[in-house]
Amino acid sequence: MKKLKLSSADMVARARARIEEVETADAIALVNDPDVVFVDIRDVRERQKLGFIPGSVHCPRGMIEFWVDPESPYFKEIFAEDKRFIFHCASGWRSALSVATLQEMGFEAAHLKAGFTDWLKSDGPVEMQAPR
């Protein structure tokens, strides 16, 4: 297979160099802060299986740009609120790329540096979806 000009790891490293990264312990301390919104971009199956940060908003990775854009027909009002937004995925790769893209759009956000996996290892609070 032909080598890519830029690897996904390189893209993540470039993104991380220009965005705000929040350490897990610092994020856990913000869980009950009414001025902070945690945005979970993991697949819905990841949330169902492993749980999620209490009060977090689920925004599928494929919809992020559309949900934050007030000119998009898919815009979600939560993203118009004057809050601090911290995006996360499982390991911090998807969220780093997402936040870098949002910054390019003019939307300020940070991401959970080590992702939900580290959140679990650090005994961060977790909520499970009620069974249907």
Side-chain angles (χ1 to χ4, degrees), residues 57-95:
V57 172
H58 183 234
C59 178
R61 174 128 177 355
M63 294 303 293
I64 292 171
E65 295 86 352
F66 305 104
W67 283 19
V68 304
D69 181 358
E71 296 179 23
S72 164
Y74 302 104
F75 175 68
K76 300 291 183 190
E77 286 293 330
I78 184 72
F79 295 108
E81 294 184 18
D82 187 20
K83 307 260 183 184
R84 180 179 184 200
F85 293 90
I86 302 174
F87 286 72
H88 79 85
C89 60
S91 64
W93 283 44
R94 290 173 284 178
S95 58

PDB file of all heavy atoms in Angstrom, residues 57-95:
ATOM      1  N   VAL A  57     -23.358  15.804  26.853  1.00  0.00           N
ATOM      2  CA  VAL A  57     -24.169  15.882  25.644  1.00  0.00           C
ATOM      3  C   VAL A  57     -23.559  14.920  24.633  1.00  0.00           C
ATOM      4  O   VAL A  57     -22.341  14.908  24.443  1.00  0.00           O
ATOM      5  CB  VAL A  57     -24.146  17.322  25.078  1.00  0.00           C
ATOM      6  CG1 VAL A  57     -24.813  17.397  23.726  1.00  0.00           C
ATOM      7  CG2 VAL A  57     -24.774  18.286  26.059  1.00  0.00           C
ATOM      8  N   HIS A  58     -24.377  14.120  23.989  1.00  0.00           N
ATOM      9  CA  HIS A  58     -23.861  13.237  22.945  1.00  0.00           C
ATOM     10  C   HIS A  58     -23.980  13.927  21.607  1.00  0.00           C
ATOM     11  O   HIS A  58     -25.057  14.370  21.210  1.00  0.00           O
ATOM     12  CB  HIS A  58     -24.613  11.906  22.913  1.00  0.00           C
ATOM     13  CG  HIS A  58     -24.056  10.969  21.901  1.00  0.00           C
ATOM     14  ND1 HIS A  58     -24.823  10.376  20.928  1.00  0.00           N
ATOM     15  CD2 HIS A  58     -22.789  10.535  21.698  1.00  0.00           C
ATOM     16  CE1 HIS A  58     -24.050   9.612  20.182  1.00  0.00           C
ATOM     17  NE2 HIS A  58     -22.814   9.689  20.627  1.00  0.00           N
ATOM     18  N   CYS A  59     -22.855  14.046  20.924  1.00  0.00           N
ATOM     19  CA  CYS A  59     -22.809  14.644  19.588  1.00  0.00           C
ATOM     20  C   CYS A  59     -21.962  13.733  18.716  1.00  0.00           C
ATOM     21  O   CYS A  59     -20.741  13.727  18.828  1.00  0.00           O
ATOM     22  CB  CYS A  59     -22.196  16.036  19.652  1.00  0.00           C
ATOM     23  SG  CYS A  59     -22.037  16.841  18.045  1.00  0.00           S
ATOM     24  N   PRO A  60     -22.588  12.932  17.860  1.00  0.00           N
ATOM     25  CA  PRO A  60     -21.809  12.020  17.023  1.00  0.00           C
ATOM     26  C   PRO A  60     -20.744  12.766  16.218  1.00  0.00           C
ATOM     27  O   PRO A  60     -20.985  13.864  15.727  1.00  0.00           O
ATOM     28  CB  PRO A  60     -22.862  11.412  16.090  1.00  0.00           C
ATOM     29  CG  PRO A  60     -24.168  11.653  16.757  1.00  0.00           C
ATOM     30  CD  PRO A  60     -24.016  12.897  17.566  1.00  0.00           C
ATOM     31  N   ARG A  61     -19.578  12.181  16.110  1.00  0.00           N
ATOM     32  CA  ARG A  61     -18.446  12.826  15.444  1.00  0.00           C
ATOM     33  C   ARG A  61     -18.795  13.341  14.060  1.00  0.00           C
ATOM     34  O   ARG A  61     -18.358  14.406  13.646  1.00  0.00           O
ATOM     35  CB  ARG A  61     -17.269  11.859  15.346  1.00  0.00           C
ATOM     36  CG  ARG A  61     -16.109  12.431  14.528  1.00  0.00           C
ATOM     37  CD  ARG A  61     -14.830  12.375  15.217  1.00  0.00           C
ATOM     38  NE  ARG A  61     -13.594  12.787  14.635  1.00  0.00           N
ATOM     39  CZ  ARG A  61     -13.288  13.195  13.444  1.00  0.00           C
ATOM     40  NH1 ARG A  61     -14.180  13.252  12.507  1.00  0.00           N
ATOM     41  NH2 ARG A  61     -12.068  13.548  13.111  1.00  0.00           N
ATOM     42  N   GLY A  62     -19.602  12.628  13.336  1.00  0.00           N
ATOM     43  CA  GLY A  62     -19.959  13.030  11.978  1.00  0.00           C
ATOM     44  C   GLY A  62     -20.889  14.230  11.897  1.00  0.00           C
ATOM     45  O   GLY A  62     -21.106  14.782  10.816  1.00  0.00           O
ATOM     46  N   MET A  63     -21.419  14.678  13.042  1.00  0.00           N
ATOM     47  CA  MET A  63     -22.361  15.802  13.034  1.00  0.00           C
ATOM     48  C   MET A  63     -21.821  17.057  13.710  1.00  0.00           C
ATOM     49  O   MET A  63     -22.466  18.102  13.692  1.00  0.00           O
ATOM     50  CB  MET A  63     -23.675  15.387  13.713  1.00  0.00           C
ATOM     51  CG  MET A  63     -24.452  14.328  12.971  1.00  0.00           C
ATOM     52  SD  MET A  63     -24.870  14.786  11.261  1.00  0.00           S
ATOM     53  CE  MET A  63     -26.007  16.143  11.527  1.00  0.00           C
ATOM     54  N   ILE A  64     -20.631  17.000  14.283  1.00  0.00           N
ATOM     55  CA  ILE A  64     -20.111  18.100  15.093  1.00  0.00           C
ATOM     56  C   ILE A  64     -20.154  19.445  14.370  1.00  0.00           C
ATOM     57  O   ILE A  64     -20.688  20.418  14.885  1.00  0.00           O
ATOM     58  CB  ILE A  64     -18.672  17.794  15.564  1.00  0.00           C
ATOM     59  CG1 ILE A  64     -18.693  16.654  16.560  1.00  0.00           C
ATOM     60  CG2 ILE A  64     -18.018  19.022  16.163  1.00  0.00           C
ATOM     61  CD1 ILE A  64     -17.330  16.130  16.910  1.00  0.00           C
ATOM     62  N   GLU A  65     -19.573  19.505  13.185  1.00  0.00           N
ATOM     63  CA  GLU A  65     -19.492  20.784  12.471  1.00  0.00           C
ATOM     64  C   GLU A  65     -20.879  21.352  12.194  1.00  0.00           C
ATOM     65  O   GLU A  65     -21.079  22.563  12.215  1.00  0.00           O
ATOM     66  CB  GLU A  65     -18.724  20.619  11.152  1.00  0.00           C
ATOM     67  CG  GLU A  65     -17.263  20.242  11.325  1.00  0.00           C
ATOM     68  CD  GLU A  65     -17.012  18.740  11.468  1.00  0.00           C
ATOM     69  OE1 GLU A  65     -17.985  17.957  11.585  1.00  0.00           O
ATOM     70  OE2 GLU A  65     -15.843  18.340  11.451  1.00  0.00           O
ATOM     71  N   PHE A  66     -21.825  20.479  11.944  1.00  0.00           N
ATOM     72  CA  PHE A  66     -23.184  20.916  11.620  1.00  0.00           C
ATOM     73  C   PHE A  66     -23.956  21.337  12.867  1.00  0.00           C
ATOM     74  O   PHE A  66     -24.731  22.286  12.829  1.00  0.00           O
ATOM     75  CB  PHE A  66     -23.924  19.806  10.869  1.00  0.00           C
ATOM     76  CG  PHE A  66     -23.178  19.364   9.648  1.00  0.00           C
ATOM     77  CD1 PHE A  66     -22.469  18.165   9.650  1.00  0.00           C
ATOM     78  CD2 PHE A  66     -23.142  20.151   8.504  1.00  0.00           C
ATOM     79  CE1 PHE A  66     -21.758  17.766   8.534  1.00  0.00           C
ATOM     80  CE2 PHE A  66     -22.431  19.760   7.386  1.00  0.00           C
ATOM     81  CZ  PHE A  66     -21.735  18.566   7.397  1.00  0.00           C
ATOM     82  N   TRP A  67     -23.749  20.649  13.970  1.00  0.00           N
ATOM     83  CA  TRP A  67     -24.473  20.965  15.202  1.00  0.00           C
ATOM     84  C   TRP A  67     -24.003  22.273  15.831  1.00  0.00           C
ATOM     85  O   TRP A  67     -24.772  22.944  16.494  1.00  0.00           O
ATOM     86  CB  TRP A  67     -24.345  19.828  16.208  1.00  0.00           C
ATOM     87  CG  TRP A  67     -25.215  18.644  15.904  1.00  0.00           C
ATOM     88  CD1 TRP A  67     -25.809  18.312  14.710  1.00  0.00           C
ATOM     89  CD2 TRP A  67     -25.589  17.604  16.816  1.00  0.00           C
ATOM     90  NE1 TRP A  67     -26.511  17.142  14.830  1.00  0.00           N
ATOM     91  CE2 TRP A  67     -26.397  16.687  16.117  1.00  0.00           C
ATOM     92  CE3 TRP A  67     -25.302  17.370  18.143  1.00  0.00           C
ATOM     93  CZ2 TRP A  67     -26.931  15.551  16.713  1.00  0.00           C
ATOM     94  CZ3 TRP A  67     -25.834  16.234  18.741  1.00  0.00           C
ATOM     95  CH2 TRP A  67     -26.643  15.344  18.029  1.00  0.00           C
ATOM     96  N   VAL A  68     -22.729  22.666  15.644  1.00  0.00           N
ATOM     97  CA  VAL A  68     -22.239  23.910  16.242  1.00  0.00           C
ATOM     98  C   VAL A  68     -22.444  25.126  15.347  1.00  0.00           C
ATOM     99  O   VAL A  68     -22.356  26.253  15.822  1.00  0.00           O
ATOM    100  CB  VAL A  68     -20.750  23.821  16.657  1.00  0.00           C
ATOM    101  CG1 VAL A  68     -20.504  22.664  17.594  1.00  0.00           C
ATOM    102  CG2 VAL A  68     -19.837  23.766  15.465  1.00  0.00           C
ATOM    103  N   ASP A  69     -22.746  24.924  14.092  1.00  0.00           N
ATOM    104  CA  ASP A  69     -22.885  26.022  13.126  1.00  0.00           C
ATOM    105  C   ASP A  69     -24.303  26.589  13.140  1.00  0.00           C
ATOM    106  O   ASP A  69     -25.246  25.917  12.718  1.00  0.00           O
ATOM    107  CB  ASP A  69     -22.539  25.516  11.730  1.00  0.00           C
ATOM    108  CG  ASP A  69     -22.628  26.580  10.654  1.00  0.00           C
ATOM    109  OD1 ASP A  69     -22.994  27.738  10.964  1.00  0.00           O
ATOM    110  OD2 ASP A  69     -22.327  26.250   9.494  1.00  0.00           O
ATOM    111  N   PRO A  70     -24.474  27.837  13.607  1.00  0.00           N
ATOM    112  CA  PRO A  70     -25.814  28.421  13.671  1.00  0.00           C
ATOM    113  C   PRO A  70     -26.493  28.555  12.309  1.00  0.00           C
ATOM    114  O   PRO A  70     -27.709  28.704  12.230  1.00  0.00           O
ATOM    115  CB  PRO A  70     -25.597  29.801  14.293  1.00  0.00           C
ATOM    116  CG  PRO A  70     -24.190  29.879  14.702  1.00  0.00           C
ATOM    117  CD  PRO A  70     -23.451  28.722  14.114  1.00  0.00           C
ATOM    118  N   GLU A  71     -25.723  28.488  11.239  1.00  0.00           N
ATOM    119  CA  GLU A  71     -26.297  28.602   9.895  1.00  0.00           C
ATOM    120  C   GLU A  71     -26.690  27.242   9.305  1.00  0.00           C
ATOM    121  O   GLU A  71     -27.246  27.172   8.215  1.00  0.00           O
ATOM    122  CB  GLU A  71     -25.319  29.322   8.974  1.00  0.00           C
ATOM    123  CG  GLU A  71     -25.076  30.758   9.402  1.00  0.00           C
ATOM    124  CD  GLU A  71     -24.086  31.475   8.507  1.00  0.00           C
ATOM    125  OE1 GLU A  71     -23.903  31.055   7.343  1.00  0.00           O
ATOM    126  OE2 GLU A  71     -23.497  32.464   8.976  1.00  0.00           O
ATOM    127  N   SER A  72     -26.388  26.183  10.034  1.00  0.00           N
ATOM    128  CA  SER A  72     -26.705  24.834   9.564  1.00  0.00           C
ATOM    129  C   SER A  72     -28.135  24.462   9.951  1.00  0.00           C
ATOM    130  O   SER A  72     -28.600  24.803  11.036  1.00  0.00           O
ATOM    131  CB  SER A  72     -25.737  23.838  10.205  1.00  0.00           C
ATOM    132  OG  SER A  72     -26.209  22.517  10.092  1.00  0.00           O
ATOM    133  N   PRO A  73     -28.812  23.711   9.089  1.00  0.00           N
ATOM    134  CA  PRO A  73     -30.150  23.250   9.471  1.00  0.00           C
ATOM    135  C   PRO A  73     -30.121  22.243  10.627  1.00  0.00           C
ATOM    136  O   PRO A  73     -31.150  21.935  11.207  1.00  0.00           O
ATOM    137  CB  PRO A  73     -30.682  22.598   8.189  1.00  0.00           C
ATOM    138  CG  PRO A  73     -29.484  22.291   7.371  1.00  0.00           C
ATOM    139  CD  PRO A  73     -28.432  23.297   7.744  1.00  0.00           C
ATOM    140  N   TYR A  74     -28.942  21.747  10.976  1.00  0.00           N
ATOM    141  CA  TYR A  74     -28.796  20.767  12.055  1.00  0.00           C
ATOM    142  C   TYR A  74     -28.332  21.390  13.370  1.00  0.00           C
ATOM    143  O   TYR A  74     -28.084  20.682  14.336  1.00  0.00           O
ATOM    144  CB  TYR A  74     -27.810  19.673  11.637  1.00  0.00           C
ATOM    145  CG  TYR A  74     -28.239  18.963  10.384  1.00  0.00           C
ATOM    146  CD1 TYR A  74     -27.625  19.235   9.165  1.00  0.00           C
ATOM    147  CD2 TYR A  74     -29.278  18.035  10.408  1.00  0.00           C
ATOM    148  CE1 TYR A  74     -28.028  18.595   8.004  1.00  0.00           C
ATOM    149  CE2 TYR A  74     -29.689  17.397   9.252  1.00  0.00           C
ATOM    150  CZ  TYR A  74     -29.063  17.683   8.062  1.00  0.00           C
ATOM    151  OH  TYR A  74     -29.464  17.055   6.924  1.00  0.00           O
ATOM    152  N   PHE A  75     -28.209  22.705  13.411  1.00  0.00           N
ATOM    153  CA  PHE A  75     -27.712  23.425  14.584  1.00  0.00           C
ATOM    154  C   PHE A  75     -28.461  23.019  15.849  1.00  0.00           C
ATOM    155  O   PHE A  75     -29.684  22.880  15.853  1.00  0.00           O
ATOM    156  CB  PHE A  75     -27.851  24.930  14.365  1.00  0.00           C
ATOM    157  CG  PHE A  75     -27.488  25.759  15.555  1.00  0.00           C
ATOM    158  CD1 PHE A  75     -26.181  25.822  15.998  1.00  0.00           C
ATOM    159  CD2 PHE A  75     -28.461  26.479  16.235  1.00  0.00           C
ATOM    160  CE1 PHE A  75     -25.840  26.595  17.109  1.00  0.00           C
ATOM    161  CE2 PHE A  75     -28.130  27.251  17.335  1.00  0.00           C
ATOM    162  CZ  PHE A  75     -26.819  27.307  17.771  1.00  0.00           C
ATOM    163  N   LYS A  76     -27.704  22.843  16.946  1.00  0.00           N
ATOM    164  CA  LYS A  76     -28.273  22.516  18.256  1.00  0.00           C
ATOM    165  C   LYS A  76     -28.030  23.696  19.200  1.00  0.00           C
ATOM    166  O   LYS A  76     -26.891  24.150  19.371  1.00  0.00           O
ATOM    167  CB  LYS A  76     -27.638  21.250  18.842  1.00  0.00           C
ATOM    168  CG  LYS A  76     -27.812  20.011  17.983  1.00  0.00           C
ATOM    169  CD  LYS A  76     -29.254  19.565  17.946  1.00  0.00           C
ATOM    170  CE  LYS A  76     -29.394  18.292  17.143  1.00  0.00           C
ATOM    171  NZ  LYS A  76     -30.759  17.935  16.879  1.00  0.00           N
ATOM    172  N   GLU A  77     -29.079  24.158  19.830  1.00  0.00           N
ATOM    173  CA  GLU A  77     -29.042  25.342  20.698  1.00  0.00           C
ATOM    174  C   GLU A  77     -28.023  25.238  21.835  1.00  0.00           C
ATOM    175  O   GLU A  77     -27.491  26.258  22.276  1.00  0.00           O
ATOM    176  CB  GLU A  77     -30.428  25.620  21.288  1.00  0.00           C
ATOM    177  CG  GLU A  77     -31.403  26.190  20.293  1.00  0.00           C
ATOM    178  CD  GLU A  77     -31.040  27.589  19.807  1.00  0.00           C
ATOM    179  OE1 GLU A  77     -30.417  28.371  20.556  1.00  0.00           O
ATOM    180  OE2 GLU A  77     -31.384  27.892  18.649  1.00  0.00           O
ATOM    181  N   ILE A  78     -27.738  24.049  22.310  1.00  0.00           N
ATOM    182  CA  ILE A  78     -26.775  23.896  23.397  1.00  0.00           C
ATOM    183  C   ILE A  78     -25.446  24.573  23.051  1.00  0.00           C
ATOM    184  O   ILE A  78     -24.770  25.115  23.908  1.00  0.00           O
ATOM    185  CB  ILE A  78     -26.561  22.396  23.778  1.00  0.00           C
ATOM    186  CG1 ILE A  78     -25.621  22.251  24.983  1.00  0.00           C
ATOM    187  CG2 ILE A  78     -25.997  21.598  22.610  1.00  0.00           C
ATOM    188  CD1 ILE A  78     -26.202  22.658  26.285  1.00  0.00           C
ATOM    189  N   PHE A  79     -25.084  24.565  21.781  1.00  0.00           N
ATOM    190  CA  PHE A  79     -23.800  25.110  21.360  1.00  0.00           C
ATOM    191  C   PHE A  79     -23.809  26.634  21.232  1.00  0.00           C
ATOM    192  O   PHE A  79     -22.774  27.238  20.970  1.00  0.00           O
ATOM    193  CB  PHE A  79     -23.327  24.429  20.078  1.00  0.00           C
ATOM    194  CG  PHE A  79     -23.038  22.974  20.290  1.00  0.00           C
ATOM    195  CD1 PHE A  79     -23.888  22.003  19.773  1.00  0.00           C
ATOM    196  CD2 PHE A  79     -21.950  22.558  21.033  1.00  0.00           C
ATOM    197  CE1 PHE A  79     -23.647  20.645  19.996  1.00  0.00           C
ATOM    198  CE2 PHE A  79     -21.696  21.210  21.265  1.00  0.00           C
ATOM    199  CZ  PHE A  79     -22.553  20.256  20.745  1.00  0.00           C
ATOM    200  N   ALA A  80     -24.956  27.257  21.442  1.00  0.00           N
ATOM    201  CA  ALA A  80     -25.042  28.720  21.456  1.00  0.00           C
ATOM    202  C   ALA A  80     -24.882  29.261  22.872  1.00  0.00           C
ATOM    203  O   ALA A  80     -24.755  30.468  23.064  1.00  0.00           O
ATOM    204  CB  ALA A  80     -26.374  29.170  20.873  1.00  0.00           C
ATOM    205  N   GLU A  81     -24.888  28.374  23.848  1.00  0.00           N
ATOM    206  CA  GLU A  81     -24.794  28.807  25.239  1.00  0.00           C
ATOM    207  C   GLU A  81     -23.387  29.308  25.554  1.00  0.00           C
ATOM    208  O   GLU A  81     -22.406  28.840  24.977  1.00  0.00           O
ATOM    209  CB  GLU A  81     -25.183  27.666  26.178  1.00  0.00           C
ATOM    210  CG  GLU A  81     -26.644  27.289  26.053  1.00  0.00           C
ATOM    211  CD  GLU A  81     -27.076  26.221  27.043  1.00  0.00           C
ATOM    212  OE1 GLU A  81     -26.363  26.011  28.048  1.00  0.00           O
ATOM    213  OE2 GLU A  81     -28.127  25.615  26.804  1.00  0.00           O
ATOM    214  N   ASP A  82     -23.309  30.255  26.463  1.00  0.00           N
ATOM    215  CA  ASP A  82     -22.040  30.830  26.883  1.00  0.00           C
ATOM    216  C   ASP A  82     -21.429  29.928  27.954  1.00  0.00           C
ATOM    217  O   ASP A  82     -21.520  30.198  29.151  1.00  0.00           O
ATOM    218  CB  ASP A  82     -22.263  32.243  27.424  1.00  0.00           C
ATOM    219  CG  ASP A  82     -20.953  32.943  27.724  1.00  0.00           C
ATOM    220  OD1 ASP A  82     -19.909  32.535  27.191  1.00  0.00           O
ATOM    221  OD2 ASP A  82     -20.977  33.907  28.522  1.00  0.00           O
ATOM    222  N   LYS A  83     -20.863  28.827  27.508  1.00  0.00           N
ATOM    223  CA  LYS A  83     -20.301  27.803  28.388  1.00  0.00           C
ATOM    224  C   LYS A  83     -18.912  27.415  27.890  1.00  0.00           C
ATOM    225  O   LYS A  83     -18.531  27.739  26.765  1.00  0.00           O
ATOM    226  CB  LYS A  83     -21.179  26.550  28.389  1.00  0.00           C
ATOM    227  CG  LYS A  83     -22.641  26.792  28.686  1.00  0.00           C
ATOM    228  CD  LYS A  83     -22.974  26.478  30.082  1.00  0.00           C
ATOM    229  CE  LYS A  83     -24.475  26.668  30.295  1.00  0.00           C
ATOM    230  NZ  LYS A  83     -24.854  26.460  31.643  1.00  0.00           N
ATOM    231  N   ARG A  84     -18.208  26.683  28.710  1.00  0.00           N
ATOM    232  CA  ARG A  84     -16.938  26.078  28.294  1.00  0.00           C
ATOM    233  C   ARG A  84     -17.268  24.675  27.814  1.00  0.00           C
ATOM    234  O   ARG A  84     -17.878  23.889  28.545  1.00  0.00           O
ATOM    235  CB  ARG A  84     -15.980  26.024  29.469  1.00  0.00           C
ATOM    236  CG  ARG A  84     -14.648  25.400  29.109  1.00  0.00           C
ATOM    237  CD  ARG A  84     -13.721  25.381  30.300  1.00  0.00           C
ATOM    238  NE  ARG A  84     -12.415  24.858  29.908  1.00  0.00           N
ATOM    239  CZ  ARG A  84     -11.532  24.378  30.756  1.00  0.00           C
ATOM    240  NH1 ARG A  84     -11.789  24.402  32.057  1.00  0.00           N
ATOM    241  NH2 ARG A  84     -10.391  23.898  30.319  1.00  0.00           N
ATOM    242  N   PHE A  85     -16.863  24.357  26.604  1.00  0.00           N
ATOM    243  CA  PHE A  85     -17.147  23.048  26.014  1.00  0.00           C
ATOM    244  C   PHE A  85     -15.880  22.204  26.027  1.00  0.00           C
ATOM    245  O   PHE A  85     -14.836  22.625  25.544  1.00  0.00           O
ATOM    246  CB  PHE A  85     -17.667  23.201  24.582  1.00  0.00           C
ATOM    247  CG  PHE A  85     -19.014  23.846  24.522  1.00  0.00           C
ATOM    248  CD1 PHE A  85     -19.143  25.228  24.422  1.00  0.00           C
ATOM    249  CD2 PHE A  85     -20.169  23.084  24.590  1.00  0.00           C
ATOM    250  CE1 PHE A  85     -20.393  25.832  24.392  1.00  0.00           C
ATOM    251  CE2 PHE A  85     -21.423  23.673  24.558  1.00  0.00           C
ATOM    252  CZ  PHE A  85     -21.531  25.056  24.451  1.00  0.00           C
ATOM    253  N   ILE A  86     -16.012  20.988  26.577  1.00  0.00           N
ATOM    254  CA  ILE A  86     -14.904  20.036  26.598  1.00  0.00           C
ATOM    255  C   ILE A  86     -15.374  18.777  25.873  1.00  0.00           C
ATOM    256  O   ILE A  86     -16.265  18.074  26.345  1.00  0.00           O
ATOM    257  CB  ILE A  86     -14.462  19.693  28.031  1.00  0.00           C
ATOM    258  CG1 ILE A  86     -14.045  20.969  28.780  1.00  0.00           C
ATOM    259  CG2 ILE A  86     -13.322  18.672  28.002  1.00  0.00           C
ATOM    260  CD1 ILE A  86     -13.726  20.756  30.254  1.00  0.00           C
ATOM    261  N   PHE A  87     -14.784  18.537  24.719  1.00  0.00           N
ATOM    262  CA  PHE A  87     -15.140  17.378  23.897  1.00  0.00           C
ATOM    263  C   PHE A  87     -14.287  16.189  24.314  1.00  0.00           C
ATOM    264  O   PHE A  87     -13.154  16.351  24.770  1.00  0.00           O
ATOM    265  CB  PHE A  87     -14.896  17.686  22.418  1.00  0.00           C
ATOM    266  CG  PHE A  87     -15.915  18.606  21.823  1.00  0.00           C
ATOM    267  CD1 PHE A  87     -15.943  19.956  22.145  1.00  0.00           C
ATOM    268  CD2 PHE A  87     -16.859  18.128  20.931  1.00  0.00           C
ATOM    269  CE1 PHE A  87     -16.888  20.809  21.602  1.00  0.00           C
ATOM    270  CE2 PHE A  87     -17.809  18.963  20.382  1.00  0.00           C
ATOM    271  CZ  PHE A  87     -17.825  20.315  20.714  1.00  0.00           C
ATOM    272  N   HIS A  88     -14.841  14.989  24.144  1.00  0.00           N
ATOM    273  CA  HIS A  88     -14.040  13.805  24.425  1.00  0.00           C
ATOM    274  C   HIS A  88     -14.487  12.627  23.572  1.00  0.00           C
ATOM    275  O   HIS A  88     -15.618  12.560  23.095  1.00  0.00           O
ATOM    276  CB  HIS A  88     -14.080  13.438  25.917  1.00  0.00           C
ATOM    277  CG  HIS A  88     -15.317  12.727  26.338  1.00  0.00           C
ATOM    278  ND1 HIS A  88     -15.467  11.364  26.226  1.00  0.00           N
ATOM    279  CD2 HIS A  88     -16.473  13.177  26.865  1.00  0.00           C
ATOM    280  CE1 HIS A  88     -16.656  11.013  26.682  1.00  0.00           C
ATOM    281  NE2 HIS A  88     -17.291  12.101  27.068  1.00  0.00           N
ATOM    282  N   CYS A  89     -13.529  11.720  23.402  1.00  0.00           N
ATOM    283  CA  CYS A  89     -13.788  10.439  22.748  1.00  0.00           C
ATOM    284  C   CYS A  89     -13.193   9.380  23.677  1.00  0.00           C
ATOM    285  O   CYS A  89     -13.070   9.610  24.873  1.00  0.00           O
ATOM    286  CB  CYS A  89     -13.167  10.413  21.350  1.00  0.00           C
ATOM    287  SG  CYS A  89     -11.371  10.638  21.339  1.00  0.00           S
ATOM    288  N   ALA A  90     -12.806   8.238  23.160  1.00  0.00           N
ATOM    289  CA  ALA A  90     -12.253   7.186  24.010  1.00  0.00           C
ATOM    290  C   ALA A  90     -10.809   7.467  24.415  1.00  0.00           C
ATOM    291  O   ALA A  90     -10.440   7.328  25.580  1.00  0.00           O
ATOM    292  CB  ALA A  90     -12.345   5.834  23.306  1.00  0.00           C
ATOM    293  N   SER A  91      -9.973   7.887  23.462  1.00  0.00           N
ATOM    294  CA  SER A  91      -8.544   8.041  23.761  1.00  0.00           C
ATOM    295  C   SER A  91      -7.986   9.432  23.522  1.00  0.00           C
ATOM    296  O   SER A  91      -6.821   9.682  23.811  1.00  0.00           O
ATOM    297  CB  SER A  91      -7.738   7.041  22.922  1.00  0.00           C
ATOM    298  OG  SER A  91      -7.882   7.354  21.551  1.00  0.00           O
ATOM    299  N   GLY A  92      -8.789  10.330  22.996  1.00  0.00           N
ATOM    300  CA  GLY A  92      -8.324  11.689  22.751  1.00  0.00           C
ATOM    301  C   GLY A  92      -7.918  11.981  21.324  1.00  0.00           C
ATOM    302  O   GLY A  92      -7.574  13.113  21.000  1.00  0.00           O
ATOM    303  N   TRP A  93      -7.958  11.001  20.475  1.00  0.00           N
ATOM    304  CA  TRP A  93      -7.565  11.229  19.071  1.00  0.00           C
ATOM    305  C   TRP A  93      -8.692  11.902  18.292  1.00  0.00           C
ATOM    306  O   TRP A  93      -8.501  12.938  17.666  1.00  0.00           O
ATOM    307  CB  TRP A  93      -7.198   9.900  18.409  1.00  0.00           C
ATOM    308  CG  TRP A  93      -5.846   9.373  18.791  1.00  0.00           C
ATOM    309  CD1 TRP A  93      -5.291   9.333  20.042  1.00  0.00           C
ATOM    310  CD2 TRP A  93      -4.877   8.828  17.917  1.00  0.00           C
ATOM    311  NE1 TRP A  93      -4.054   8.775  19.993  1.00  0.00           N
ATOM    312  CE2 TRP A  93      -3.769   8.450  18.696  1.00  0.00           C
ATOM    313  CE3 TRP A  93      -4.847   8.591  16.542  1.00  0.00           C
ATOM    314  CZ2 TRP A  93      -2.631   7.871  18.150  1.00  0.00           C
ATOM    315  CZ3 TRP A  93      -3.715   7.998  15.991  1.00  0.00           C
ATOM    316  CH2 TRP A  93      -2.627   7.646  16.787  1.00  0.00           C
ATOM    317  N   ARG A  94      -9.873  11.312  18.320  1.00  0.00           N
ATOM    318  CA  ARG A  94     -11.001  11.884  17.576  1.00  0.00           C
ATOM    319  C   ARG A  94     -11.351  13.267  18.100  1.00  0.00           C
ATOM    320  O   ARG A  94     -11.649  14.181  17.319  1.00  0.00           O
ATOM    321  CB  ARG A  94     -12.232  10.971  17.655  1.00  0.00           C
ATOM    322  CG  ARG A  94     -12.086   9.668  16.888  1.00  0.00           C
ATOM    323  CD  ARG A  94     -13.264   8.742  17.137  1.00  0.00           C
ATOM    324  NE  ARG A  94     -13.166   8.124  18.457  1.00  0.00           N
ATOM    325  CZ  ARG A  94     -14.052   7.292  18.978  1.00  0.00           C
ATOM    326  NH1 ARG A  94     -15.159   6.992  18.321  1.00  0.00           N
ATOM    327  NH2 ARG A  94     -13.858   6.753  20.174  1.00  0.00           N
ATOM    328  N   SER A  95     -11.323  13.423  19.411  1.00  0.00           N
ATOM    329  CA  SER A  95     -11.690  14.723  19.976  1.00  0.00           C
ATOM    330  C   SER A  95     -10.647  15.791  19.652  1.00  0.00           C
ATOM    331  O   SER A  95     -10.999  16.951  19.438  1.00  0.00           O
ATOM    332  CB  SER A  95     -11.937  14.625  21.479  1.00  0.00           C
ATOM    333  OG  SER A  95     -10.821  14.135  22.164  1.00  0.00           O
TER     334      SER A  95
END
